[in-house]
Amino acid sequence: MTDLEETPLVLITDDNPNNIKVAGSTIATLGYKIAVSQSGQNTIEFAEKNIQISLF
Amino acid sequence: MNIFSGKLITKNIIFFIFAILMISSVFAQSLKSIVFTEAEAKIIEQSQVLQVWMDECPPYVIRKEDGSFSGIAVDMLNYVSEQSGLRFKYVSPSLALSQESALMTDKVDIAPALFSIEEVPNYHTVPYFSSPIYIYATPNTSIQTNGMSALVKKNAAVQKDSPLTKYLVKHFKDIKFVPCPTTKAGLDIVKEGLSDAYIGNSLSAYYEIKRNDIKGIISTPSEDLPNLQVSFGVSEKNKNLLPILNRVIVSIPSGMVTKFQNDNLTNIKTDHMIDKKTVQKWLWIGIIIFLTTVIVVLYFVRINRILAKEIKSRMKMAASLKKSQEISKLATEHSQIVVFEVFLRDNRIVYGNSLASFLGYEKESDVDLTYDGWVNILEAKSKNLFEKNMSSIKNDKFDGNFFELRYTNAKGDLCWLKIDGKITERDTNKQPQKFVGIIMDVTESKEYELAIIESRQEAEMANKAKSEFLANMSHEIRTPLNAIIGFSQLLSKQVVDIKQKTYLDSINVAGNSLLTLINDILDLSKIEAGQLKIKLGACSIAHIFKEIEQVFILKVKEKGIDLLFSLHSELPPSLIIDDLRLRQVLINLVGNAVKFTERGYIKLGVDLFYDDQTDHSKVSLIISVEDTGIGIEQKQLKKIFAPFKQEDSQDNRQYGGTGLGLSISKRLTEMMEGKLTVTSQVGKGSTFNINLYNVPVSSTMHTVSAPSINVQSLVYNEETLLIVDDIPSNRILLEELFSGKNLHILSAKNGLEAVNIAKKKLPDLIICDIRMPVMDGVEATQILKSTESTKHIPVLALTASAKQEELEITKELFDGHLTKPVNVDELFISVNNFIKPKDTVEETTDQVEDNIDVNISEVTREKLYENILPKLKAEVGAVDISEIQNIAEEMVELGKQVNEDYITKCGKELLTAASVFNIEGINSLISKFISKVEDNQI
């Protein structure tokens, strides 16, 4: 669990749940931590709380 | 006694008046004898018999049946001859030459009736007659009240080559004048509505109206119109006769002229004046003669002045003649209509103005426009039409419709003429004698019309091509979809790993929604191409509602909204409607309602009423779909039924769909002769109403209901099944579906192989594709059905085609029909019709019931409120997957600790959803769990 702290966090944003599923499954195989969001609003709110994320 | 004395007095008076008249006429006679000068007397003596050009011009010159002449001008000539001793010979025109031109070219000496307005040309005598000019029009036009001003911007017929025409063209520039050959022709075209009015000499018009018994035309005098003067014309070489003739004319008692007029107008046809005439005639003439004697004296005074004027006018002759010619030319050039008359006995055609210049020729001699000449300028087809119409006119079979002719004009361009007209004169046997018509140039409008027809044909072709293309494309798209949907379904049943199963389900769902889209587009293109037909049959609305419920019950439960039904208590159990299309419309409407409703309910209702209370064999229905969803803005309401347009404010990505559903629903409803309407309030919800009018009530009960089937547990009795398809993936899919069901599976990749295998192995059932290389399914089945050994084998058609004609063929030939992509349940239901499965054992479901009320202890509840719920509530909006997994694991742990299976189960479900990044699943699981805990349901 401590290792996860250092793993980069990827936030996936898409309004289509199917796209999230495909992107999430694919990126997860690369070993990243993943967060998902269905709207830009949620994404911004989430980003304000967590700094080390790369946006999609 | 009284009566007798009354009569006696009358007799006395008449005798007295008669006596006075006799005396006065003797007195008048003595005044009338004209004194010629010596020179004049000499001219008279030396003059030969004068030739008079008798061009028919009633009522001035009337040609009688026996070839002799009468008329006002003839009476005048007789009078002149009596008074002066001049001798006249009447010459009948053998050429189509007007009086004027005959006179000018010295063909004759005298023209009997020449007209003039205002100025009298110098080769005319003083006028012997003056006739007012009236406007002739059908009743109820503003012409009767407004006179000439009512004709502005309208057509008015006038007689060609008349000084009146020149006068009118000069003074009334806002009126379009249409020259016509005769007064009769002018009146005829007004009567037929081809012209707004005819303007002309009231005497001629009166004569023609009486003679031809023309009804429905009213004459209107106008202050704007002068009188038409009638004179004799004298040729250049006989101009020395002018003073003699003038002297006779001025000496004529005016009563005499009136007598001539009455004689010629009362003798036309009517005889109602004759009775009175015998009594009154002498009385009137006597009084008139008496008065004219006074006038004659005055005339003698004036004659000097008139003679002086005449010299002046002679000077002006050349100038005025030239001017009038120019005006006449102007009138012809600006007219867009040519009036013509055809004398059917000898095919003679007379034109109102120059057709040659109308057709673009410079001179009359440039083109032959006699009856026979016409054929030379007409195109072959038009030539036939022209001749056909002319012969039908002659045989009195003309339908009265206008016809259009194609001709080559002077420049060699192909142009169009429109000819319209009527038979206006008939002989005593009622055979057509004369045809009056108008010719219009319609080249521009005709070319426009042809261009429109052509572009419409092109558009129709393009639309048809589009429909064909879509129908074919749908076949091409369905084939790969068949593999996608079929195999994902199949794999999903074999795969154990939950992640992989979710992936497969996603593929399956995506495949199915793609199929729905294709079906929508295909439906719309079929409706637009008119290929979609309504098929009526007995069915039950209640049953359709039940099916709708089955389709949507899961989604509705998922969203936590209610699906309600409200059926009118008198709803007949069975109605004649197209259940397939009604179901399609309802699925569309309910699908939309579910999509746009987050809380509240969706209500399906049927209300009914009878148009005729005594007749209950037909009922009108109002089927309503009501929701408490987001509603539609007022300005969007009109647009929502247009294809390819979704609500503007609608977030397309959020709700998905083609935007065709409502458009298809509206058109389907209209095809069922119904109406689809909508009312809506933003934030409150929408109600869609399907109104179906006069739906027949069926007497047969609707009993068919789709049997449900448990495919997985089906086992057969070692029957042999032959699968025929050229695409390997399709074959393998079917083979897999039937594997493990205790069946022998054979396969063939075209019709020929299928026939050979079937003959050898005699299978119990054949499932056959239609389109295949080498030999297609239809041909193979025809062979099998006509072979003794194989004709009993049932054949199921399996096709991706949605073409109506192909479906028709398969219906007759095959024992059943299935469409790709294969619906597994339908496939087995069809198969079971031909091979009976063994009795099946019901499978037990291992799913945990959602609604089981599990009571958890207060301690557990506290733990949930402390640890789990706050964390779950934090995961709204963007979701951190690893957080969710942590919470879910905590839930599983907690469930195990306190021995609450429900919590463990929810935790596991959440873990699964998180592992496949199913954000919708995560959100719905969290909100469901929170609400269950907070509502104390567990």
Side-chain angles (χ1 to χ4, degrees), chain B residues 174-286:
Chain B
D174 291 333
I175 302 174
K176 285 182 204 157
F177 293 103
V178 180
C180 50
T182 61
T183 304
K184 176 76 194 328
L187 292 168
D188 282 339
I189 66 168
V190 172
K191 200 183 153 207
E192 304 301 344
L194 300 171
S195 176
D196 297 304
Y198 168 77
I199 300 173
N201 171 353
S202 58
L203 227 57
S204 301
Y206 176 84
Y207 180 87
E208 292 294 350
I209 288 172
K210 283 276 165 188
R211 185 171 72 168
N212 298 294
D213 200 19
I214 297 172
K215 297 236 161 64
I217 289 186
I218 291 184
S219 64
T220 311
S222 170
E223 287 174 1
D224 302 330
L225 298 172
N227 280 6
L228 201 62
Q229 319 269 34
V230 192
S231 319
F232 294 126
V234 181
S235 72
E236 185 64 22
K237 68 175 179 193
N238 290 299
K239 62 185 175 193
N240 54 2
L241 290 173
L242 264 173
I244 299 166
L245 290 172
N246 282 340
R247 190 161 296 187
V248 178
I249 290 165
V250 294
S251 77
I252 192 167
S254 64
M256 189 76 86
V257 180
T258 315
K259 176 183 174 297
F260 293 160
Q261 176 189 335
N262 287 342
D263 283 352
N264 286 297
L265 290 179
T266 48
N267 285 340
I268 306 165
K269 215 176 201 179
T270 49
D271 49 10
H272 60 269
M273 289 177 78
I274 292 169
D275 295 340
K276 297 175 190 169
K277 208 163 72 176
T278 45
V279 185
Q280 292 176 349
K281 194 175 163 186
W282 285 107
L283 220 157
W284 277 113
I285 289 175

Side-chain angles (χ1 to χ4, degrees), chain B residues 349 351 355 359 368-378 386 405 407 417 419 439:
Chain B
I349 309 180
Y351 299 101
L355 184 63
L359 299 181
D368 179 9
L369 289 170
T370 60
Y371 186 90
D372 296 324
W374 263 96
V375 293
N376 294 325
I377 63 161
L378 292 177
F386 177 72
L405 300 174
Y407 74 99
L417 287 178
I419 294 185
I439 302 174

Side-chain angles (χ1 to χ4, degrees), chain B residues 478 482 489 493 512 515 519 547 551 580 583 587 705-712 714 716 734 737-738 765 767 796-799 815-835:
Chain B
R478 276 159 191 253
N482 186 36
Q489 241 173 0
K493 276 168 189 160
N512 273 315
L515 187 64
N519 284 342
E547 286 176 353
V551 173
L580 187 74
R583 198 179 290 121
I587 285 178
S705 62
S708 63
I709 190 163
N710 191 336
V711 173
Q712 280 187 318
L714 278 175
Y716 295 89
L734 285 172
L737 283 173
F738 287 111
L765 177 66
I767 298 177
L796 279 175
L798 182 61
T799 172
D815 300 281
H817 176 258
L818 289 165
T819 48
K820 291 177 193 172
V822 175
N823 177 307
V824 180
D825 285 1
E826 277 177 23
L827 173 70
F828 279 95
I829 290 166
S830 298
V831 168
N832 289 356
N833 287 336
F834 303 103
I835 49 178

Side-chain angles (χ1 to χ4, degrees), chain B residues 146-166:
Chain B
N146 297 340
M148 288 300 281
S149 53
L151 280 169
V152 170
K153 299 264 156 72
K154 292 193 171 168
N155 285 330
V158 287
Q159 198 166 347
K160 69 161 175 171
D161 300 335
S162 156
L164 175 61
T165 313
K166 288 153 203 168

Side-chain angles (χ1 to χ4, degrees), chain B residues 213-392:
Chain B
D213 200 19
I214 297 172
K215 297 236 161 64
I217 289 186
I218 291 184
S219 64
T220 311
S222 170
E223 287 174 1
D224 302 330
L225 298 172
N227 280 6
L228 201 62
Q229 319 269 34
V230 192
S231 319
F232 294 126
V234 181
S235 72
E236 185 64 22
K237 68 175 179 193
N238 290 299
K239 62 185 175 193
N240 54 2
L241 290 173
L242 264 173
I244 299 166
L245 290 172
N246 282 340
R247 190 161 296 187
V248 178
I249 290 165
V250 294
S251 77
I252 192 167
S254 64
M256 189 76 86
V257 180
T258 315
K259 176 183 174 297
F260 293 160
Q261 176 189 335
N262 287 342
D263 283 352
N264 286 297
L265 290 179
T266 48
N267 285 340
I268 306 165
K269 215 176 201 179
T270 49
D271 49 10
H272 60 269
M273 289 177 78
I274 292 169
D275 295 340
K276 297 175 190 169
K277 208 163 72 176
T278 45
V279 185
Q280 292 176 349
K281 194 175 163 186
W282 285 107
L283 220 157
W284 277 113
I285 289 175
I287 292 168
I288 289 162
I289 289 171
F290 183 73
L291 289 172
T292 42
T293 45
V294 180
I295 295 165
V296 164
V297 175
L298 292 173
Y299 258 32
F300 271 120
V301 181
R302 278 193 65 194
I303 193 160
N304 277 330
R305 232 187 279 174
I306 292 165
L307 281 168
K309 245 186 180 178
E310 200 183 312
I311 296 160
K312 232 191 220 172
S313 71
R314 195 175 288 217
M315 305 278 275
K316 284 185 182 169
M317 175 188 167
S320 78
L321 203 68
K322 201 179 171 192
K323 201 172 163 191
S324 69
Q325 270 171 351
E326 273 168 13
I327 294 168
S328 171
K329 200 181 160 199
L330 202 71
T332 314
E333 276 170 4
H334 285 75
S335 163
Q336 291 147 346
I337 301 170
V338 174
V339 183
F340 69 97
E341 276 181 313
V342 185
F343 298 85
L344 297 171
R345 210 182 316 164
D346 52 3
N347 283 340
R348 192 156 56 90
I349 309 180
V350 184
Y351 299 101
N353 48 352
S354 169
L355 184 63
S357 69
F358 182 81
L359 299 181
Y361 294 93
E362 268 179 29
K363 285 179 284 174
E364 300 282 331
S365 53
D366 286 348
V367 60
D368 179 9
L369 289 170
T370 60
Y371 186 90
D372 296 324
W374 263 96
V375 293
N376 294 325
I377 63 161
L378 292 177
E379 199 200 43
K381 249 191 215 169
S382 294
K383 193 169 101 182
N384 291 339
L385 183 67
F386 177 72
E387 279 172 346
K388 202 183 106 201
N389 275 312
M390 288 319 285
S391 78
S392 65

